[in-house]
Amino acid sequence: KKSSAVTPINLDSRERVHEFLNKFDFILSDCDGVLWVNNGAVRGAAQAINKLRARGKRVCFATNNSTKTRDEFHQKLTKLGFEADLDELFPTSYSTAVYLKSIGFDRKVFIVGQSGIAGELADVGIESTGVGADPTPRHWTPGMAEVDLDPDVGAVVIGFDNQISFPKLTKACSYVRDNECLFIASNADETYPHPDPKVAVPGPGAYVAAIQAVTGRDPIPLGKPYQYFFDIIRLQHPEIDPKRTIMIGDRLTTDMVFGRNNGLKTLFVQSGIGTYDDMINFKNSQDPEDHKCVPDYYLDSLDDLNKYL
């Protein structure tokens, strides 16, 4: 049976890159694994993005990372040499605040995550709790989870939390078990990139799955690959034409699927989590769902574009 997957084009010549450039006006770029890994810029990435801007391309940064506010992401981009304006930054900490504001939410949010979400919520006047250490007391036994639940909490928001603990999960599950409480995944990435391929770093998807298992409820997803995340970008940039927009990412299962779900073309770079072999496996898969993970174009990293720009 013939595969319904696209055949990805390697942008490995001046001619291909120029043909590629003529097909879009707007760039949505992921951040972790595309522009930087941890705190170091991907070599040549800032130069490539800035050159694309110089050619008149519009750029927005669309990241599932909720650990920082837009201001903090702006500082990081600037420090690493990327030209960027605040209204071009779309972390899921921001999409969460926009969503809750848009539905007139007026209660407190319990966050399993970091200060980025709390900061963006505060900017729209929403109170939150939960950020920071909440260690498991030594005397706890499994059936003896002593937690104080705040009656004002009306939503649980999940992001990346490097201080995840048993009390935090217990509180999150207890709140979410009440059907009146909103259950929101700022993103549900299962893992984060690590320099050592043998190390598996659990992402927010791991905590989301735990809460789903306990409560039987599915979250409202506010990051990639879902449509709502693109709606938020379009709200600020109504001039975006999906047919003339490219999504650049390193994660085949979120960035490429996000592109497919929203009618965008996609460019896969191998400077982060995904590999060439992963791409080929998705292309050759018998499962049509896997074909959504196949990009239109691919490169080793954004630095490769610099040869032709």
Side-chain angles (χ1 to χ4, degrees), residues 31-91:
C31 296
D32 295 277
V34 176
L35 307 181
W36 59 66
V37 175
N38 296 327
N39 289 316
V42 169
R43 195 188 66 184
Q47 192 187 0
I49 291 286
N50 297 345
K51 278 182 177 177
L52 288 164
R53 276 191 195 276
R55 286 177 169 255
K57 305 300 180 190
R58 301 283 306 281
V59 182
C60 280
F61 303 94
T63 172
N64 269 359
N65 190 326
S66 64
T67 61
K68 293 179 172 63
T69 60
R70 285 196 302 164
D71 276 327
E72 289 165 336
F73 272 114
H74 188 244
Q75 287 166 25
K76 181 166 182 172
L77 281 160
T78 308
K79 188 176 160 194
L80 294 178
F82 295 90
E83 293 165 25
D85 290 324
L86 204 57
D87 72 346
E88 298 169 339
L89 303 188
F90 294 91

Side-chain angles (χ1 to χ4, degrees), residues 124 190 209 291 300-301:
V124 297
E190 297 86 0
H291 298 165
D300 278 346
S301 83

Side-chain angles (χ1 to χ4, degrees), residues 175-217:
Y175 290 129
V176 171
R177 215 165 57 165
D178 173 0
N179 285 323
E180 296 297 300
C181 182
L182 297 174
F183 175 25
I184 292 170
S186 75
N187 90 70
D189 291 355
E190 297 86 0
T191 55
Y192 278 122
H194 188 278
D196 181 348
K198 290 197 278 295
V199 176
V201 181
Y207 334 137
V208 168
I211 297 165
Q212 281 175 304
V214 174
T215 64
R217 286 183 64 192

